[in-house]
């Protein structure tokens, strides 16, 4: 069977972005590895969740292993960089944050793991990091370079399908099921910097059957997602619809004859 390595910026990113893909891969018998660039030091903890004196980075690291257990992940690694915070914040300039890391230097750290694992597929984010977070953008850059260094055959850039999301929100609005407090969908919701147009997306992973595992992976990150978090409070059908399909851009997909098994098992063409 094959191996898939998923490169993430912070703890809980794997739950939101690729958990369905990873759970489906593990169920099919493939080896699944998670690598985090940072330990999410600048996340905002749910009030009251941390014990007195408990460090957020230590808690979030432990939550990664709980999430990994839920998804069937075989190995979890951290590259050792510090969370950069949101774009434009002073924390972007901290000398040891991921945003300030040299791309080649960080890529060599990741490439060591890739050379050990010899994955068929590496997941990263799209070139805007999904929504413009500096650490996510850096994952795209570092992941691309590390794949080159280690000779990974397929790089799958996880992204958000803006058109699909907008259609889903309009469908909920038309049926009167749009959750209270949500904005009315229009051409600016989601914003233009959020995800990619459907025409640019090349592949999808159908993971509706793994929606329960995906939500359990989210619950494992209790320091960031309390029971009232909107993703955990969604009714099951809406959650499955909204999070059951994961989207990717593969800029140079292999031919069907040369495609590794883990790729053909999971990734379906968006535009056959």
């Amino acid at each position: 069977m094959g191996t898939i390595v998923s490169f993430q910026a912070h703890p809980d990113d794997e739950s939101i972005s690729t958990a369905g893909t990873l759970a489906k891969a593990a169920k099919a018998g493939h080896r699944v590895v998670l690598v985090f660039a940072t330990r999410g030091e600048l996340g905002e903890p749910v009030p009251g969740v941390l014990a007195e004196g408990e460090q957020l980075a230590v808690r979030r690291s432990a939550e990664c292993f709980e999430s990994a257990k839920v998804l069937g992940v075989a190995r979890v690694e951290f590259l050792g960089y510090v969370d950069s915070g949101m774009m434009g914040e002073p924390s972007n300039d901290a000398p040891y944050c991921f945003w300030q890391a040299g791309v080649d230097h960080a890529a060599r750290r990741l490439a060591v793991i890739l050379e050990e694992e010899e994955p068929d597929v590496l997941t990263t984010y799209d070139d805007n990091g999904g929504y413009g977070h500096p650490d996510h953008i850096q994952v795209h850059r570092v992941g691309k370079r590390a794949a080159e260094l280690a000779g990974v055959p397929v790089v799958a850039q996880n992204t958000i399908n803006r058109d699909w999301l907008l259609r889903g929100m309009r469908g909920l609005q038309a049926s009167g099921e749009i959750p209270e407090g949500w904005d009315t969908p229009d051409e600016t919701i989601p914003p233009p910097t959020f995800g990619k147009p459907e025409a640019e997306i090349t592949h999808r992973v159908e993971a509706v059957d793994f929606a329960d595992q995906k939500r359990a992976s989210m619950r494992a990150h209790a320091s960031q997602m309390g029971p009232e978090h909107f993703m955990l409070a969604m009714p099951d059908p809406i959650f499955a619809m909204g999070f059951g399909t994961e989207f990717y851009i593969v800029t140079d997909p292999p031919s069907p004859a040369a495609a590794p098994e883990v790729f053909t098992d999971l990734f379906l063409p968006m535009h056959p």
Side-chain angles (χ1 to χ4, degrees):
M1 306 302 283
T3 297
I4 183 169
V5 174
S6 189
F7 184 31
Q8 304 289 338
H10 317 100
D12 82 10
D13 286 334
E14 86 288 357
S15 300
I16 299 166
S17 62
T18 62
T21 301
L22 303 184
K24 188 171 185 177
K27 179 69 173 179
H30 300 294
R31 179 172 172 84
V32 179
V33 176
L34 267 172
V35 181
F36 295 92
T38 81
R39 296 178 186 268
E41 293 86 350
L42 298 183
E44 296 183 7
V46 173
V49 74
L50 295 180
E52 185 176 354
E54 184 179 11
Q55 296 182 23
L56 179 60
V58 174
R59 173 64 174 270
R60 296 193 74 180
S61 300
E63 290 171 347
C64 290
F65 288 93
E66 289 301 313
S67 169
K69 186 186 302 183
V70 167
L71 299 176
V73 172
R75 177 182 181 185
V76 177
E77 294 287 351
F78 298 87
L79 290 192
Y81 293 99
V82 174
D83 190 341
S84 307
M86 299 299 288
M87 187 66 83
E89 294 182 352
S91 53
N92 297 169
D93 299 323
Y96 299 109
C97 77
F98 190 44
W99 184 237
Q100 291 296 324
V103 169
D104 268 23
H105 183 270
R108 288 196 299 271
R109 291 192 189 185
L110 176 58
V112 169
I113 299 169
L114 299 180
E115 289 163 358
E116 292 171 353
E117 292 292 342
E118 298 182 344
D120 304 286
V121 177
L122 172 69
T123 78
T124 64
Y125 309 130
D126 66 41
D127 58 4
N128 191 44
Y131 63 100
H133 192 293
D135 287 336
H136 288 234
I137 295 171
Q138 191 77 320
V139 161
H140 170 85
R141 296 171 178 171
V142 170
K144 179 180 178 181
R145 180 60 180 142
E148 293 170 353
L149 293 173
V152 180
V154 178
V155 178
Q157 305 168 45
N158 179 254
T159 191
I160 301 157
N161 185 335
R162 294 189 69 256
D163 299 321
W164 177 87
L165 181 59
L166 189 56
R167 287 196 302 270
M169 292 177 70
R170 286 174 174 163
L172 289 174
Q173 183 186 35
S175 64
E177 296 178 356
I178 195 163
E180 185 178 351
W182 283 30
D183 292 325
T184 301
D186 57 35
E187 295 306 324
T188 63
I189 301 173
T193 55
F194 196 75
K196 294 288 184 178
E198 192 165 89
E200 296 182 24
I201 297 171
T202 64
H203 291 80
R204 71 187 192 278
V205 173
E206 296 294 352
V208 171
D209 291 345
F210 299 88
D212 288 346
Q213 277 177 266
K214 183 163 184 166
R215 186 130 64 169
S217 171
M218 292 178 180
R219 290 193 183 101
H221 293 282
S223 72
Q224 302 299 298
M225 299 186 197
E228 297 79 22
H229 191 283
F230 81 97
M231 284 188 280
L232 297 182
M234 281 182 181
D236 288 345
I238 295 178
F239 182 88
M241 180 189 72
F243 291 94
T245 304
E246 295 171 350
F247 298 95
Y248 295 88
I249 298 170
V250 181
T251 57
D252 190 19
S255 67
E261 186 175 358
V262 65
F263 183 71
T264 56
D265 274 359
L266 300 175
F267 294 84
L268 302 174
M270 280 291 292
H271 313 285

